[in-house]
Amino acid sequence: METQHQKFTWEATKDAMHQLLECINDERSIENAEAVLKSYVSEMSELTNVPKKIQSDGNDIFTDINAKIQECSRNFSQEEESLRQILTHISNLQDEVNDIRNSVNLSKEQEHEIRQKILLYNEQASERVVQIDEVELKKKEEVYRLQTQISLHAHVTGIKWDYEDIDSIKGEIDIPSKQIQKRFEIDREGKSEFDIVNSFWTMMEA
């Protein structure tokens, strides 16, 4: 489709001028010349408005382009901010992952140390159990030895001790050769070992 600018080119102007000259040369065509001249003046007037129209259209296009640039700039800023937030979030997640990894590694090291300590404690506990068993065995042997001595002492002295009362010394004495058989009780409070022994001798000789 022919545009307004294309319509009013130099060729069109030249053709209009030729038509005007033909009308002027032909005296009988004065009226036609006037019509051609009016048409030309009208076309020239319209032609002078073409730059303004072009400028107006250019301004509209520029305004539209500028608006689109600003919109793209806003969209870019929003996307840039969104991307920055995403990158910050990723960085925070990476920090958390590193912290967790460090914590896991530390836990593994602590676990290894604990296992080593457990092995050491087990060895020490085993040695301690052996020592306890040896002590218990020695105690059993000592108890048996004491029981044997007590039995021998009871057989020789005829005294059977009552071990239930720890606040006093009591029991039963039986000496068939002297026909002595009785229970006894000696309060140890305020008495020395020497006094207690003398009390036994006095009781046995009575």
Side-chain angles (χ1 to χ4, degrees):
M1 181 177 181
E2 188 180 42
T3 64
Q4 190 72 15
H5 180 67
Q6 290 173 336
K7 181 178 180 181
F8 299 111
T9 61
W10 171 250
E11 294 295 331
T13 302
K14 185 171 67 172
D15 291 340
M17 292 297 293
H18 282 304
Q19 291 178 11
L20 180 60
L21 289 174
E22 290 175 359
C23 291
I24 292 173
N25 293 330
D26 187 359
E27 296 178 354
R28 294 171 298 177
S29 302
I30 297 300
E31 294 179 356
N32 291 336
E34 291 178 351
V36 171
L37 182 60
K38 290 180 179 179
S39 176
Y40 176 74
V41 170
S42 177
E43 290 178 356
M44 289 298 292
S45 178
E46 292 179 1
L47 184 61
T48 57
N49 293 328
V50 169
K52 296 180 179 179
K53 183 68 168 67
I54 294 174
Q55 184 177 3
S56 177
D57 293 342
N59 290 336
D60 293 340
I61 294 172
F62 175 79
T63 301
D64 185 57
I65 292 175
N66 189 46
K68 290 185 179 297
I69 290 175
Q70 292 179 357
E71 181 181 1
C72 291
S73 178
R74 287 192 299 270
N75 293 335
F76 176 77
S77 297
Q78 293 175 355
E79 292 179 358
E80 185 180 25
E81 176 63 20
S82 177
L83 181 60
R84 187 188 65 79
Q85 293 177 357
I86 292 173
L87 291 176
T88 301
H89 183 62
I90 292 174
S91 178
N92 293 335
L93 290 177
Q94 186 63 42
D95 292 339
E96 292 180 5
V97 169
N98 292 334
D99 292 340
I100 293 174
R101 183 180 291 110
N102 293 334
S103 178
V104 169
N105 292 334
L106 180 60
S107 298
K108 288 182 179 180
E109 293 177 359
Q110 292 176 345
E111 179 184 7
H112 178 71
E113 292 178 359
I114 290 173
R115 289 183 180 277
Q116 295 299 320
K117 290 181 179 180
I118 289 175
L119 292 176
L120 178 61
Y121 292 156
N122 286 336
E123 293 177 359
Q124 294 177 348
S126 299
E127 294 176 357
R128 185 62 177 170
V129 167
V130 172
Q131 294 175 354
I132 291 174
D133 291 340
E134 292 177 353
V135 171
E136 288 182 351
L137 179 60
K138 290 180 179 180
K139 286 184 177 180
K140 289 179 180 180
E141 293 175 351
E142 182 67 15
V143 168
Y144 178 75
R145 186 183 66 79
L146 292 175
Q147 288 176 343
T148 302
Q149 289 181 351
I150 291 172
S151 298
L152 180 60
H153 181 270
H155 179 71
V156 173
T157 61
I159 299 175
K160 295 180 180 180
W161 302 100
D162 185 354
Y163 298 103
E164 294 182 359
D165 190 351
I166 60 175
D167 295 328
S168 61
I169 300 174
K170 62 181 180 179
E172 182 178 346
I173 186 169
D174 183 10
I175 305 177
S177 61
K178 296 185 177 181
Q179 296 180 350
I180 298 175
Q181 184 177 7
K182 60 181 178 180
R183 293 191 60 80
F184 64 88
E185 182 175 357
I186 301 174
D187 188 5
R188 67 174 65 187
E189 186 177 358
K191 294 182 179 180
S192 63
E193 294 181 358
F194 181 78
D195 294 333
I196 294 173
V197 171
N198 283 336
S199 297
F200 270 110
W201 285 114
T202 302
M203 178 182 61
M204 294 175 65
E205 292 177 352

